[in-house]
Amino acid sequence: MSKNILITGGAGFIGSHVVRLFVQKYPDYQIYNLDALTYAGNLANLTDIEQASNYTFVKGDITDATFLEQLFAQTAFDGVIHLAAESHVDRSITDPMAFVLTNVVGTVNLLNAAKNSWKGAFEGKRFYHVSTDEVYGSLHNPEDFFTEETPYDPQSPYSASKAASDHFVRAYGNTYGLPIVLSNCSNNYGPNHFPEKLIPLMIHNIQNNKPLPVYGKGENVRDWLYVIDHARAIDTIFHDGKNGETYNIGGFNEWKNIDLVHLLCQIMDRKLGRPEGTSVQLITYVTDRAGHDLRYAIDAHKIMRELGWEPSLQFAEGLEKTVDWFLANQEWMDNVTSGHYQQYYQDMYANR
Ligand code: NAD
Ligand code: TYD
């Protein structure tokens, strides 16, 4: 069945994989990718599908309510998959307001545009908000996992802004009957990952013999999922999820940061033909992140049980593919590590 689908943030890391999956899997859909092309948005992530007849790129900012009202007046969207966001915790510590504007105000603008254009005729419509497990806070008991019932307890400006946007999405479902669905996913990794985040930063620095900045003692734990498995989950939830429901997405794949950095060093030494134990010497313990969440771990049984989704890749295979992608796409890395990005990190690490 033909549909117009608006995907926001499609030039970013996860969004680019979602856009590609939808453009290729659903030739009858028209996919509109709305992205402001901030420092994190990169159309080079989509060169292989940019000529597809069912794909349209729209440059625009979700903080601009007037622009969104016009966009929704021009095109009758059947579905919205909302990923556009400021996404990096460290940046949220230095500039929280950017996170309030895009993640909270931008999401409410998008909800209003959908509500005003759908005018209560909600049959066949869907507003899907893509969110993070970080809204649940930090786990301290090793037995605990985040479930869909875990109370919200965001600890960083990033997670507070995502929690606020989740609450607004649910409030629009409850108050106006908007057909909404949400998911909260664990840490993603894979191709197109912006090298401000742990895994691509470490790969880049190992390759260039630069220090590997491990925050604090490296004891913090994250639960890693291959980005294409997240995109597959988003496809499943968008089509088969129940209105008003929330689905947690994760890979049951917890790693202490320091162990993960050691593993990346091993893989990179092998791929670069360096003697084993070379890159590990680059590890540099730096000042801990303020308010650093200790552990995230997702219980993903609901989506597995109710919608039949499960991760397709083991971590070892996913990491190999990821490292291979970064080594084969040096130009991509050179482009994103110039300009604003570089300046930001020079400033950030100046005092470390
Ligand atoms: P990203 O930073 O790589 O990409 C964000 C995209 O949004 C960029 O293309 C950027 O240009 C665009 N954008 C930012 N502000 C905008 C604005 N005002 N208007 C329009 N476009 C704007 O982020 P990501 O890692 O791909 O994350 C995508 C979504 O998934 C986010 O909502 C994030 O909270 C969520 N999420 C991310 C992870 C993760 O591990 N990266 C895990 C769970 C959930
Ligand atoms: P990150 O990739 O920023 O994701 P998030 O903070 O959203 O989980 O960081 C993952 C973990 O790695 C987190 O515990 C912080 C840590 N970290 C470092 O130790 N060094 C770094 O240079 C970065 C970017 C992160």
Side-chain angles (χ1 to χ4, degrees):
M1 204 196 5
S2 171
K3 281 181 190 234
N4 289 326
I5 309 292
L6 181 68
I7 299 178
T8 71
F13 168 45
I14 302 170
S16 62
H17 291 280
V18 177
V19 166
R20 178 175 297 97
L21 180 69
F22 273 67
V23 165
Q24 292 178 341
K25 187 170 171 187
Y26 301 106
D28 290 346
Y29 290 5
Q30 279 298 321
I31 305 301
Y32 295 81
N33 170 13
L34 167 63
D35 200 295
L37 299 181
T38 68
Y39 79 96
N42 186 353
L43 289 177
N45 292 342
L46 291 164
T47 41
D48 56 328
I49 55 114
E50 68 190 3
Q51 301 299 334
S53 58
N54 64 337
Y55 172 70
T56 306
F57 175 69
V58 183
K59 185 171 186 304
D61 194 323
I62 59 168
T63 63
D64 183 345
T66 310
F67 159 76
L68 285 180
E69 294 293 340
Q70 285 165 356
L71 180 68
F72 276 73
Q74 274 161 18
T75 307
F77 293 114
D78 301 292
V80 176
I81 304 179
H82 176 36
L83 295 105
E86 289 291 342
S87 67
H88 192 210
V89 174
D90 293 321
R91 285 178 186 262
S92 82
I93 294 168
T94 48
D95 183 12
M97 193 51 81
F99 287 69
V100 175
L101 292 175
T102 287
N103 299 1
V104 186
V105 177
T107 300
V108 177
N109 284 339
L110 204 55
L111 286 163
N112 281 335
K115 174 171 91 63
N116 295 342
S117 87
W118 292 340
K119 297 188 174 70
F122 294 140
E123 187 64 33
K125 306 287 192 293
R126 173 149 272 188
F127 188 106
Y128 178 0
H129 186 226
V130 175
S131 192
T132 167
D133 60 355
E134 302 190 26
V135 298
Y136 298 123
S138 181
L139 295 167
H140 291 272
N141 176 351
E143 321 274 280
D144 288 346
F145 286 84
F146 297 137
T147 72
E148 288 79 0
E149 276 72 50
T150 302
Y152 274 34
D153 188 20
Q155 300 290 318
S156 74
Y158 164 66
S159 53
S161 70
K162 291 297 290 188
S165 58
D166 286 4
H167 288 319
F168 270 103
V169 173
R170 292 198 184 95
Y172 271 60
N174 184 57
T175 308
Y176 308 109
L178 207 71
I180 55 120
V181 69
L182 293 94
S183 59
N184 297 85
C185 188
S186 64
N187 287 58
N188 286 212
Y189 71 98
N192 304 346
H193 205 180
F194 197 86
E196 64 189 350
K197 310 278 168 57
L198 181 73
I199 289 181
L201 179 77
M202 294 297 160
I203 294 173
H204 177 67
N205 286 11
I206 294 170
Q207 194 180 6
N208 294 287
N209 277 308
K210 286 161 69 175
L212 309 179
V214 172
Y215 297 170
K217 295 186 176 140
E219 297 284 318
N220 305 67
V221 173
R222 296 293 182 265
D223 176 0
W224 295 95
L225 180 71
Y226 194 60
V227 63
I228 292 173
D229 279 330
H230 188 192
R232 288 175 47 248
I234 289 172
D235 176 22
T236 302
I237 292 167
F238 181 72
H239 287 98
D240 302 332
K242 282 205 209 120
N243 275 343
E245 292 285 317
T246 295
Y247 299 89
N248 280 356
I249 309 168
F252 294 102
N253 179 41
E254 292 177 53
W255 282 80
K256 256 187 203 168
N257 292 338
I258 190 62
D259 295 340
L260 176 51
V261 174
H262 274 267
L263 179 60
L264 282 169
C265 288
Q266 257 177 38
I267 297 175
M268 291 290 286
D269 281 348
R270 172 163 48 80
K271 302 240 181 227
L272 297 173
R274 294 178 182 168
E276 208 183 318
T278 307
S279 302
V280 103
Q281 292 164 34
L282 298 167
I283 291 175
T284 309
Y285 291 94
V286 299
T287 313
D288 207 355
R289 173 186 281 171
H292 197 170
D293 287 342
L294 180 63
R295 172 173 166 254
Y296 305 143
I298 278 277
D299 177 341
H301 283 109
K302 177 177 172 182
I303 183 175
M304 295 169 84
R305 190 178 57 245
E306 295 186 9
L307 303 182
W309 171 90
E310 58 179 37
S312 69
L313 268 195
Q314 294 294 319
F315 194 47
E317 195 186 342
L319 262 195
E320 289 275 337
K321 275 167 98 89
T322 302
V323 169
D324 287 343
W325 185 87
F326 278 103
L327 293 179
N329 288 274
Q330 196 55 56
E331 199 187 338
W332 183 95
M333 185 61 99
D334 292 345
N335 288 339
V336 296
T337 50
S338 57
H340 289 313
Y341 168 82
Q342 218 166 35
Q343 189 57 51
Y344 172 79
Y345 272 93
Q346 274 164 14
D347 294 344
M348 184 164 165
Y349 288 116
N351 300 319
R352 284 196 160 146

